[in-house]
Amino acid sequence: MHKIFIVEDDTKISNLLHSYMSKYGFEAREAVDFNDVLEEFQDCRADLVLLDINLPKYDGFYWCRQIRTHSNCPILFISARDSQMDQVMALENGADDYITKPFHYEVVMAKIRSQLRRAYGAYASSQEERKLESGELILYPERYIVSCAGCGAELTVKESQLLEALMLKEGRAVSREKLLDLMWEDHHFIDDNTLNVYITRLRKKLKELGSEDRVETVRGVGYKLALRREDLQ
């Protein structure tokens, strides 16, 4: 029996979702302490999370990032906020889907079943976690975490995709066009400066981990992850 963790501070909606979960044979648990959602998540060992954005103290984006540092389980946002930016923010912070309120409970259940099939059922990929390494620099692309010499940092989805693309071709240039294709389905609507912003953010995080100057600009082409000094000897 799959366990669903409901993080929704509107008790009426939370109770109705809980009722539907039980009706369809799922075990559900509603968040109680909104000051420490992560601890409750870890305690209940949920297979999937339904997460609102507007929550007491910290918002859903924050808790999504916290959960992602510990689990790859599906996370579905449920929110009355229907702007494109909110949906982008949710996906950037590690969510798998976004459902706007008011919603049909049957649609919510269908999306839950679909995500559970992908994560644990016939469509599930290998459960062994992927890891890319370059010396002491290690990327966990499924958790959006990068570490170096024992220190770690959280990445957004796009930052993780960017670093993964560079690590897969370490020492070789990756064109801006290729990076844009990887990070956005239709990059023709993306401002050309957007990639520069993500490069700057990634460089800053790597510098904070003590791995500065690894992302180099290849003039007229794109970017590359510089080879480690020991590889050049």
Side-chain angles (χ1 to χ4, degrees), residues 146-182:
V146 61
S147 68
C148 183
C151 298
E154 299 176 12
L155 301 175
T156 66
V157 174
K158 298 302 183 189
E159 289 167 353
S160 181
Q161 290 174 341
L162 175 56
L163 182 55
E164 179 177 5
L166 295 175
M167 291 183 77
L168 287 172
K169 291 203 170 186
E170 182 181 10
R172 293 172 289 168
V174 184
S175 70
R176 291 180 61 88
E177 189 78 9
K178 179 66 174 178
L179 291 171
L180 288 168
D181 281 340
L182 287 170

Side-chain angles (χ1 to χ4, degrees), residues 67-78:
I67 291 171
R68 274 288 169 257
T69 64
H70 295 269
S71 174
N72 295 322
C73 79
I75 300 176
L76 281 69
F77 270 87
I78 47 172

Side-chain angles (χ1 to χ4, degrees), residues 137-152:
L137 189 66
I138 304 174
L139 173 66
Y140 301 91
E142 294 164 346
R143 286 191 286 143
Y144 316 117
I145 298 291
V146 61
S147 68
C148 183
C151 298

Side-chain angles (χ1 to χ4, degrees), residues 115-127:
Q115 290 294 336
L116 289 173
R117 283 196 301 270
R118 292 186 181 188
Y120 312 107
Y123 306 128
S125 58
S126 172
Q127 295 301 304

Side-chain angles (χ1 to χ4, degrees), residues 55-72:
L55 297 170
K57 193 169 183 178
Y58 300 112
D59 64 21
F61 300 136
Y62 171 83
W63 289 121
C64 185
R65 293 195 303 273
Q66 297 305 305
I67 291 171
R68 274 288 169 257
T69 64
H70 295 269
S71 174
N72 295 322

